[in-house]
Amino acid sequence: FSYTWDMVLPNYDKIFKLGLRGIIQQAQDRLKEIEADLTLEAGDYLEQKRFLEAAIISLEATITFAKRYAALAREKAKAETRPDEKKRLEKLAEICENVPESPPRTMHEAIQSFFFIHLITGFIELPSVGCGVRLDQILYPYYRKDIDEGRLSKEEALNLIESIWIKFEEMGFIHPPRLFGSAGGGLAWQNVT
């Protein structure tokens, strides 16, 4: 058993623009194209078909993963007696229902969408040494829009950024034991600008 320590860097611009449902639609459209392409050799056809079908399955699983978080947040909100916490959990459920299936509409949704994808690609699918993404570039349009439209204050934006930094730190504790030869946990390197 061996790991490659190559960095996995999803195309967040595309994910944020189309959402995973849009990418699934692209894969389904491409499947139809190759079905109709009589010039493809059998090996090429099977390779493309299998890749596209695997991509669709993986993306659907990611959407299901996020919706499970939405359901849990909704369940916790129903049992919550503190009004502020109930409101926070209801908002989180709404966010997880939308992203990463659909394009993010706010900075909070963009951060949540990023984190779902980061969690899956970096720690569930392929343990890697950080995310190597320019968070400033992918999040800034959402920050600017939220600030300009009065939906977010600078303090709230800072709170969201601090929250993702905390999540990065927590991720070191979910490495599988086989990675470090211990009961689990270890350093989680995060290459973030």
Side-chain angles (χ1 to χ4, degrees):
F1 183 83
S2 67
Y3 281 99
T4 59
W5 291 97
D6 297 332
M7 202 172 289
V8 176
L9 186 56
N11 184 343
Y12 287 103
D13 290 330
K14 183 175 184 176
I15 293 167
F16 285 7
K17 181 180 178 188
L18 301 175
L20 297 186
R21 186 64 57 205
I23 297 170
I24 289 169
Q25 185 60 56
Q26 285 184 335
Q28 290 169 335
D29 292 346
R30 180 67 185 137
L31 269 173
K32 289 176 188 170
E33 287 174 18
I34 66 170
E35 290 286 337
D37 186 353
L38 300 176
T39 64
L40 270 179
E41 292 184 22
D44 291 339
Y45 167 77
L46 285 175
E47 184 178 339
Q48 288 184 47
K49 183 178 183 338
R50 289 178 180 147
F51 171 79
L52 291 165
E53 289 172 343
I56 291 167
I57 290 167
S58 298
L59 295 171
E60 289 286 1
T62 302
I63 292 168
T64 300
F65 182 75
K67 296 221 185 272
R68 289 178 61 197
Y69 274 87
L72 180 61
R74 219 172 248 105
E75 179 184 317
K76 288 181 176 265
K78 285 180 185 174
E80 184 57 58
T81 57
R82 296 168 294 172
D84 287 349
E85 182 62 7
K86 184 178 192 79
K87 184 178 177 182
R88 187 189 72 79
L89 288 165
E90 288 169 345
K91 180 179 179 182
L92 185 58
E94 181 184 321
I95 289 169
C96 294
E97 275 292 327
N98 187 55
V99 296
E101 181 175 20
S102 300
R105 302 168 290 199
T106 65
M107 182 176 172
H108 194 160
E109 286 188 353
I111 288 173
Q112 185 64 60
S113 184
F114 162 81
F115 193 71
F116 277 135
I117 303 302
H118 178 64
L119 178 63
I120 290 168
T121 59
F123 287 85
I124 295 174
E125 178 61 26
L126 175 68
S128 62
V129 284
C131 60
V133 68
R134 290 282 313 263
L135 274 179
D136 58 335
Q137 290 181 349
I138 66 170
L139 296 179
Y140 183 75
Y142 300 93
Y143 166 78
R144 184 77 266 153
K145 185 176 183 211
D146 282 357
I147 292 288
D148 290 348
E149 294 178 3
R151 190 174 25 250
L152 185 73
S153 69
K154 288 183 179 183
E155 293 78 20
E156 291 166 325
L158 179 59
N159 188 314
L160 289 171
I161 294 298
E162 289 171 345
S163 294
I164 196 149
W165 251 249
I166 290 168
K167 298 308 285 180
F168 284 152
E169 183 61 28
E170 289 174 352
M171 291 176 76
F173 298 104
I174 64 169
H175 283 296
R178 67 178 182 245
L179 184 60
F180 292 104
S182 66
L187 295 175
W189 299 282
Q190 304 297 320
N191 300 319
V192 178
T193 299

